[in-house]
Each structure stands twice: as structure tokens, then as C-alpha cells.
Amino acid sequence: MALPFQSAGLTSAPATRLTAITTETLDRRVYDQMFNAATPALKTFMSRIELKDGYNVEYMIRTGDIDGAWRARDGQIAAYSTQTGAPATRAVMNKFYANWTLNLADVDVRENRGAVQLANYLTTQLDILADSMSAEMAKAIWTEHATNTMYSLVDAIGDGTDAASYAGITLADMTDDDGREVWSSFVMDCGPSTAGSNTGVSPSLANHQKMLRVMFDYNGKYPDAIYVTGPVWDKLAAEIAGTEYLAGERGQKNDIEWGVQVLRMLGVPVFRDRYLPSNAFVTGGTSRAACKGHASYFVDWSFMHPYATPGRKFQLQEWTSLMSSGYERKWNNIAFDGGLITSRRRAHGKIVNIDPTIAATSYAAGTVYWGGVVCV
């Protein structure tokens, strides 16, 4: 008769291997967990990713314009021998590479025996990793490009005066006589003075609405969303509360709901995002960049193109066994090979040099520029 302890702690079948857990299941969990923890801007970015093969990503963009001419019923067609309007060109962007390492102790993998136990162990590690990925990407899409980091929403929108190349195109390449297609976004600033004595842009509903109306006048449509810093969002919400009585709503369980939860301007949602670049406003600055301050971004996602290599869109790769520094590890890499490009800069806008410390009683109207020219 066998002793009871001889089989204690042993399984009747080999331990479940990591590779037995389907990659498709894990990829969906990582993506869903990352998406659930994402900011509104990152949620949109992730939901619009286009799969693109190849080292470079290219998008056709419109340049120039074609002039029409009126004629009499039996009149000659004017300029029939002259080609007008420049041909379309390409915005070209490289791919950028990010990875997050899942580094598991081999002993932990061995000791978590059975399909359910091993799956629970692995998915817990993935959930932690996915939350970290979400926070890093939420910051990356608002961080100006440097070295190996990808071009972001900040780079795509620019500051309206960029002479440097973006996506292989400069502002000079895209300026035409009628100003119908300029490689520049709409910008409202504080009107920096060379004397270095400036007043910041008011974080007001009126200034944000003015930007929307100008963009509609020039583009024939509003952008999809406005992204602002927390202090600017609070100022906008407080301005609404100051001009309209907001009553708390009593629920069935005698609970009260009060406050501004959703903010829209002319039908465009306004989202607060803590990852937007922001600094204290500098009154002595002599340029937009030197004056700093907070910024509000007006984004038309129809012309923003997040892209990724197939199989590298926040997805696990192959499991590998490692022995580093004497420790056995099971290692995997969650990869994102891609980036973001805009195919039409004029579809977007930006209010810069915002000073959220300005009192509502001192709010003043800002001036909107496009391609360095005042919009009227």
C-alpha cells in the first residue's frame, strides 16, 4: 500500500507551459486593460491605429490650388495651355519602436501549476504591465519628439510658425498665393512683445469658442475634440458655473450629484488631460516659446493617422528562456512599432501662452493666426 505523502504536492500531468496559453487571448487582455486605463486622447489614438508594413509610412496630402475663370457662353476657355496647381505630395514618417518587458522568474512559472493557476499568475503580471504601458503612451502622445521617441500630437500640430521640416515638408513648401492649403495649424497666442512685458491668454470660454469659429470659417467644419490641462478645464467649468445656476440632482437613494462632468463647446467635447505640456506663464518672454504657459489643443482626428506594424500593436512576441546573472527567467516583449502623422495641419489648432491664474474679471479676447497671418 502506497504511503499518502508520496504523491503529495505532485500533479498527475506535466505543468502547463506558458506557450499553451494562446497569444490571441493574452493580446486581447493587454489591449483591453491598456484601453480601459487610457486617457480620452489615448483611447482615440488606440482605436484609430492603422496597420502599415514597411519602414516608412506615407500619406498623400493636398498642395496648391487651381483657379477658375468666368467666361461668356461662347467665350474661350482661359489658360487652357497652362497647368495650374501643384501636384499632391507625400507626408513621410519613419516608424519608432517601444517595448515593455515581461520578465518572469522561472521558479514562479514552475510553481504555479495547472492551467488556471498559471493563467491567473500570468494575467496578473500582464495587468500591471498594461497599466504601465497606458500611462507611458498617454504621456508619449503629448511629448515633443526627441531622439528615438515618436512624433506626437504636439509635433503634428506644431506652433504655426514652424520652418523646420515635419513629415518631410516645411511651411515654405506648403504656402500658396491664396492660402488655401498651408502647412500650418491655427494658433492663438499672447502676442509676445519684444519689450518682454506680456499678459497671458485668458483661459476663457470666449477664447476657446473664438478658435472654434475661426477654424470653422476656414475649414468648413469643427475639430473632433479639445484637450486642455486640468487648471484650464477647471477655469472653463467655473466660468459656466458662474454664469448659470447648477442645481444638484437628488437621486432615488437620497444621493446628490453636482458639478460639471461633461463640457462641450459648439458640440465639440472638451477633455482634461494631465499629460499635456504646461508651464507657468512668463511675462518677460519675447516669443511664444519663451512665454510658455498652458496650451489647449484642437484636434481633428480625421487627419491624424496613428499607425503600427502588423503584429507589433501592443502585442506579445515569442517566449524566451534567459539565464542572466545566474537567474532563470521566462521573458517576453510587448512591442509597439509605429507612430503618428497628420496629413493636414490646418485641420488642427492650438491656444498657447494660457495663464490659468488670470481672474475671470480680467479675461480678454485673443488673436488667432494661420501661417503667421491674423485671421479676420
Side-chain angles (χ1 to χ4, degrees):
M1 180 177 176
L3 296 175
F5 60 79
Q6 287 182 328
S7 61
L10 299 179
T11 60
S12 57
T16 302
R17 297 168 57 204
L18 286 173
T19 52
I21 306 175
T22 62
T23 301
E24 290 79 6
T25 299
L26 298 178
D27 284 344
R28 284 197 298 268
R29 186 180 184 95
V30 170
Y31 194 87
D32 289 347
Q33 179 69 18
M34 185 179 175
F35 187 88
N36 290 336
T39 60
L42 182 57
K43 279 184 168 68
T44 306
F45 176 95
M46 293 177 66
S47 65
R48 298 184 66 90
I49 289 178
E50 304 166 8
L51 298 181
K52 298 287 184 180
D53 285 316
Y55 178 73
N56 289 330
V57 174
E58 299 182 357
Y59 284 91
M60 297 296 291
I61 59 174
R62 296 179 297 177
T63 62
D65 56 82
I66 298 176
D67 294 325
W70 293 96
R71 63 183 176 87
R73 180 178 61 83
D74 57 350
Q76 184 179 18
I77 297 177
Y80 64 89
S81 61
T82 303
Q83 178 180 325
T84 56
T89 189
R90 291 180 176 88
V92 182
M93 192 72 76
N94 295 338
K95 287 182 178 176
F96 301 89
Y97 307 92
N99 67 274
W100 295 265
T101 300
L102 190 63
N103 199 342
L104 308 178
D106 193 57
V107 64
D108 290 337
V109 175
R110 290 198 308 269
E111 294 303 324
N112 281 282
R113 295 177 179 273
V116 175
Q117 190 171 346
L118 182 58
N120 287 340
Y121 167 71
L122 179 57
T123 53
T124 298
Q125 305 304 313
L126 286 175
D127 287 349
I128 296 171
L129 188 58
D131 285 344
S132 302
M133 292 165 57
S134 186
E136 288 185 28
M137 282 301 297
K139 183 177 181 180
I141 63 175
W142 291 113
T143 301
E144 189 174 358
H145 167 74
T147 316
N148 292 326
T149 61
M150 75 174 194
Y151 285 89
S152 66
L153 290 164
V154 173
D155 300 297
I157 296 172
D159 69 358
T161 60
D162 294 344
S165 173
Y166 169 80
I169 303 170
T170 67
L171 179 61
D173 295 331
M174 291 285 289
T175 302
D176 58 58
D177 294 336
D178 294 334
R180 297 178 187 171
E181 195 62 58
V182 177
W183 199 231
S184 174
S185 60
F186 293 87
V187 181
M188 178 186 292
D189 66 13
C190 68
S193 168
T194 55
S197 179
N198 304 290
T199 300
V201 175
S202 304
S204 64
L205 291 170
N207 278 337
H208 286 75
Q209 181 174 267
K210 181 176 182 178
M211 174 66 85
L212 286 173
R213 294 199 182 281
V214 168
M215 293 179 70
F216 181 86
D217 289 344
Y218 281 71
N219 291 333
K221 60 176 295 196
Y222 294 117
D224 294 317
I226 305 171
Y227 300 94
V228 302
T229 63
V232 172
W233 199 96
D234 291 339
K235 283 282 188 174
L236 297 174
E239 190 176 349
I240 292 175
T243 57
E244 181 177 347
Y245 178 69
L246 300 177
E249 182 177 348
R250 187 180 297 275
Q252 294 181 351
K253 297 182 180 181
N254 207 36
D255 54 324
I256 294 293
E257 183 173 339
W258 181 89
V260 178
Q261 182 177 6
V262 179
L263 179 60
R264 294 179 184 272
M265 295 185 193
L266 301 176
V268 180
V270 182
F271 299 105
R272 58 189 297 149
D273 195 315
R274 71 188 184 93
Y275 294 106
L276 262 67
S278 63
N279 294 279
F281 180 74
V282 178
T283 58
T286 56
S287 65
R288 288 175 180 169
C291 286
K292 300 184 179 182
H294 290 231
S296 297
Y297 291 84
F298 298 68
V299 180
D300 188 333
W301 283 99
S302 300
F303 297 97
M304 287 291 186
H305 303 280
Y307 55 87
T309 301
R312 311 279 290 186
K313 189 183 79 170
F314 309 114
Q315 292 167 280
L316 284 158
Q317 305 306 301
E318 297 295 328
W319 286 103
T320 304
S321 294
L322 298 177
M323 291 190 65
S324 176
S325 303
Y327 295 98
E328 292 182 295
R329 301 288 184 185
K330 296 297 185 187
W331 183 89
N332 207 321
N333 178 42
I334 298 181
F336 174 74
D337 298 354
L340 173 75
I341 188 173
T342 184
S343 56
R344 200 183 194 201
R345 265 187 158 177
R346 66 174 290 173
H348 319 293
K350 179 180 180 182
I351 301 179
V352 298
N353 305 146
I354 298 175
D355 184 357
T357 66
I358 296 177
T361 53
S362 300
Y363 283 172
T367 302
V368 182
Y369 300 85
W370 182 47
V373 179
V374 175
C375 299
V376 294

